[in-house]
Amino acid sequence: MQQTEPTYEQADTDATEHRSPRRARRLLYVAFAALAVLLLVLLPPYISVNRYQRRIATSIGNSLGRPVHLDKVTLNLLPMPGFTLENFVVDEDPAFGSEPVIRASSVHATLRLSSLWTRRVEFSTISFDQPSVNLVHTAAGKWNLQSILLHAAHIDAAPTVQRRAGSAPRFPYIEATGARINLKLDQEKAPISLTDADFALWLPEPQEWHLRLQAHPARTDTNASDTGTVELEGTLGRADSLTQVPINLKGEWTNAPLGEASRVLLGRDAGLRGEMTLSASAQGTLGNSTIQTRLRLTDARRADFIPERPLNVDMQCLATATSAFYAFENIRCNWPPAASSSAPKLAITGDIPDIRKLHSATFDFVAPGLPASTLLDWLHVASARVPEDITANGSLTGTLSYHPSSDTAATKGWTGELLMTSASLINPRAGASSFVVGDVALTSSAPIAAQTPDAKHQPTQPAPSVTSSPVTTGFLLAPTSLDLGGKDPATLDGHFDATGYTLHLAGMASTARMLALAAALPPFGDGLALALPTNRAAGPFRVDLMASRPWGQPQIWTDATPHATTPPRPARRKK
């Protein structure tokens, strides 16, 4: 019997009938998925979890060691199951005040899916939205967060990234965005704070926390803006006491304009411009750690003028921090850093026994051979009046020390000596010869009774006194030879202290050379032209001039040169 082959129409019909159940099942799966998503979106508002509010607050409070309060708890199922905590507040220890440690309008806690099948619920992330954090420091040297840190150190926790649940709960990833961190000294809130802070804390290892912070420094009593960015990252370990907590921290303050940075640190604009970058690292424990800092200033200058060559600074400091960063020992600073290929400019050593008592700090400043041309460059940055064509040569060496608690008067306060060897200062508009002849020496002086100029040095009008007490210390400018146009050099000596300075210029000089020196060193030349004699020839002639200037006030020169007088004629007798 002959069989007929199936036609194309019959084949298509059979294929369609075979695919119809499969397509129907797919549509059914899609419908169930859509219904599940719809339920996840619509049902949470109707599911009340407020009965768990106290349990959640108690659980978080036990982990922090502080009472925690919530106003409302809302269940979230998308994108991940979790809770939203409204008006989240962590109470303060009464010993540090009554203002909460942490306050946030909302906190989002995301559940770990794997923990839903166990009796212990774990959170994968806890996110704070624009919280306010108060760091309190007491006069006794304690911080309000140290008890929270030590309490957390005694709680057994597994690493945050651990995939499967174990005997210990996994530490959540804690983050905050838009935070504000305030600093309080006892009960008084300090004006310095950190704003727009982004914070993260997690546990990469069982005995180590990792933290990250990025914020903008601010000050409430000034209008500081564009203050740069502060970044901090590193690790904290577990310990039985605060001073034993292992640390490995690195921080940096970048893109900080000097004017705004001074507003933050000093509460006022210091009149400086340029960019500042400050970096620091600490390794060891909170009780004893090695500190390394680096300060870089780019195009630093005064605000009132733009010099031809602004100042660039690159200084590195090393120290040992003790007593939970209240004391710094063996401070060693170098400008530029010791490993730099540039010639050394300045070295600083010292100790700070207590940062709360900065007057007890001791420092030694060492000039290892600073070129006079570098000092002139600094003078160009400090004053717009110094001509650009002035040249200087020589090398500055010496040490300045500050020891406020020294047992002997000779070494108490500021002491030391500086020596400029082979010094020269040339104003090309007054010839090629140097004003300075030989060396320039500045040496500290022992306490002496305040003296007033003798009778021949009394000014025609009283000059302001530069001493405010019967005993003063300071530095003496040794007699320095100056070529002022006379056959023999004139001499300049003086005295500098905390209140001001006095200068004494004596010898042969010409008017042209005196004015040229005044133009080369405007601070020295302030008021000098008014003291020069006007009834003499261009010179050279003998001068004996005194200058005095209290810091922050005008300089006054007075002419103490003895003038020859014509004796009076005897009266004629009447015949």
Side-chain angles (χ1 to χ4, degrees), residues 81 111-122 165 170:
L111 289 170
R112 290 184 182 271
L113 292 177
S114 60
S115 71
L116 296 178
W117 285 269
T118 64
R119 294 183 178 181
R120 183 180 60 230
V121 176
E122 298 180 11
R170 287 166 289 185

Side-chain angles (χ1 to χ4, degrees), residues 458-463 556-558:
Q458 289 292 344
T460 55
Q461 57 182 11
I556 297 179
W557 283 91
T558 56

Side-chain angles (χ1 to χ4, degrees), residues 321-386:
T322 60
S323 304
F325 290 88
Y326 287 115
F328 294 86
E329 302 174 353
N330 196 23
I331 300 173
R332 306 175 307 282
C333 299
N334 290 280
W335 173 21
S340 174
S341 59
S342 302
K345 293 181 173 65
L346 185 65
I348 304 174
T349 60
D351 297 285
I352 304 178
D354 192 335
I355 60 173
R356 295 163 295 184
K357 302 176 182 178
L358 291 178
H359 60 273
S360 63
T362 61
F363 288 100
D364 296 299
F365 300 82
V366 179
L370 190 63
S373 57
T374 300
L375 294 175
L376 186 59
D377 290 339
W378 296 354
L379 190 59
H380 283 138
V381 174
S383 175
R385 298 184 298 162
V386 180

Side-chain angles (χ1 to χ4, degrees), residues 126-346:
I126 299 178
S127 302
F128 292 81
D129 185 20
Q130 297 182 346
S132 176
V133 181
N134 290 318
L135 299 180
V136 183
H137 183 260
T138 66
K142 293 185 177 182
W143 291 91
N144 62 334
L145 293 185
Q146 67 185 60
S147 62
I148 296 178
L149 180 63
L150 293 178
H151 181 82
H154 290 84
I155 298 177
D156 190 18
T160 303
V161 296
Q162 181 173 300
R163 292 186 177 182
R164 296 183 180 182
S167 59
R170 287 166 289 185
F171 191 84
Y173 183 87
I174 301 176
E175 61 182 0
T177 58
R180 181 182 183 90
I181 303 176
N182 305 304
L183 175 63
K184 295 180 63 178
L185 304 177
D186 285 325
Q187 301 301 317
E188 184 178 357
K189 186 169 289 187
I192 298 178
S193 62
L194 295 176
T195 61
D196 299 325
D198 293 336
F199 173 80
L201 177 69
W202 66 98
L203 192 70
E205 301 292 339
Q207 302 296 323
E208 183 180 84
W209 286 282
H210 195 111
L211 63 88
R212 182 186 299 127
L213 172 69
Q214 181 176 343
H216 300 288
R219 193 175 179 109
T220 57
D221 56 355
T222 64
N223 58 347
S225 60
D226 187 23
T227 57
T229 303
V230 171
E231 296 180 351
L232 176 66
E233 185 166 2
T235 59
L236 299 172
R238 297 174 181 264
D240 294 331
S241 66
L242 184 66
T243 57
Q244 295 176 345
V245 171
I247 61 172
N248 186 359
L249 301 173
K250 292 182 179 181
E252 192 170 31
W253 185 3
T254 59
N255 301 324
L258 282 176
E260 300 306 306
S262 64
R263 289 181 187 271
V264 172
L265 298 176
L266 306 176
R268 58 180 177 84
D269 188 346
L272 300 175
R273 296 297 180 265
E275 292 289 329
M276 181 191 76
T277 298
L278 177 62
S279 59
S281 64
Q283 291 182 323
T285 65
L286 284 177
N288 191 302
S289 59
T290 300
I291 305 297
Q292 180 173 327
T293 63
R294 190 167 184 176
L295 173 65
R296 282 167 285 187
L297 305 180
T298 304
D299 295 335
R301 60 178 178 83
R302 287 177 50 176
D304 50 355
F305 73 97
I306 301 178
E308 182 177 348
R309 293 183 297 274
L311 183 63
N312 293 319
V313 176
D314 188 357
M315 177 180 288
Q316 184 180 54
C317 294
L318 304 174
T320 300
T322 60
S323 304
F325 290 88
Y326 287 115
F328 294 86
E329 302 174 353
N330 196 23
I331 300 173
R332 306 175 307 282
C333 299
N334 290 280
W335 173 21
S340 174
S341 59
S342 302
K345 293 181 173 65
L346 185 65

Side-chain angles (χ1 to χ4, degrees), residues 433-435 482-490 507-514 538-541:
S433 61
S434 170
F435 291 108
L482 299 179
D483 179 6
L484 297 180
K487 183 178 180 181
D488 298 319
M508 301 299 294
S510 68
T511 302
R513 290 286 288 180
M514 291 280 286
F541 46 82

Side-chain angles (χ1 to χ4, degrees), residues 341-507:
S341 59
S342 302
K345 293 181 173 65
L346 185 65
I348 304 174
T349 60
D351 297 285
I352 304 178
D354 192 335
I355 60 173
R356 295 163 295 184
K357 302 176 182 178
L358 291 178
H359 60 273
S360 63
T362 61
F363 288 100
D364 296 299
F365 300 82
V366 179
L370 190 63
S373 57
T374 300
L375 294 175
L376 186 59
D377 290 339
W378 296 354
L379 190 59
H380 283 138
V381 174
S383 175
R385 298 184 298 162
V386 180
E388 291 293 337
D389 56 356
I390 301 298
T391 60
N393 291 299
S395 179
L396 179 67
T397 57
T399 302
L400 292 180
S401 301
Y402 178 71
H403 296 269
S405 303
S406 177
D407 296 332
T408 61
T411 59
K412 189 172 184 178
W414 285 100
T415 59
E417 57 182 18
L418 296 173
L419 177 64
M420 177 70 74
T421 57
S422 304
S424 71
L425 180 68
I426 299 174
N427 185 345
R429 287 166 290 180
S433 61
S434 170
F435 291 108
V436 182
V437 180
D439 300 338
V440 180
L442 190 69
T443 308
S444 57
S445 61
I448 56 175
Q451 299 177 353
T452 57
D454 54 32
K456 71 174 184 177
H457 287 160
Q458 289 292 344
T460 55
Q461 57 182 11
S465 173
V466 297
T467 57
S468 58
S469 60
V471 175
T472 182
T473 59
F475 289 83
L476 296 176
L477 175 64
T480 303
S481 298
L482 299 179
D483 179 6
L484 297 180
K487 183 178 180 181
D488 298 319
T491 58
L492 176 70
D493 60 82
H495 178 265
F496 300 80
D497 58 31
T499 59
Y501 65 81
T502 59
L503 297 174
H504 178 214
L505 178 63

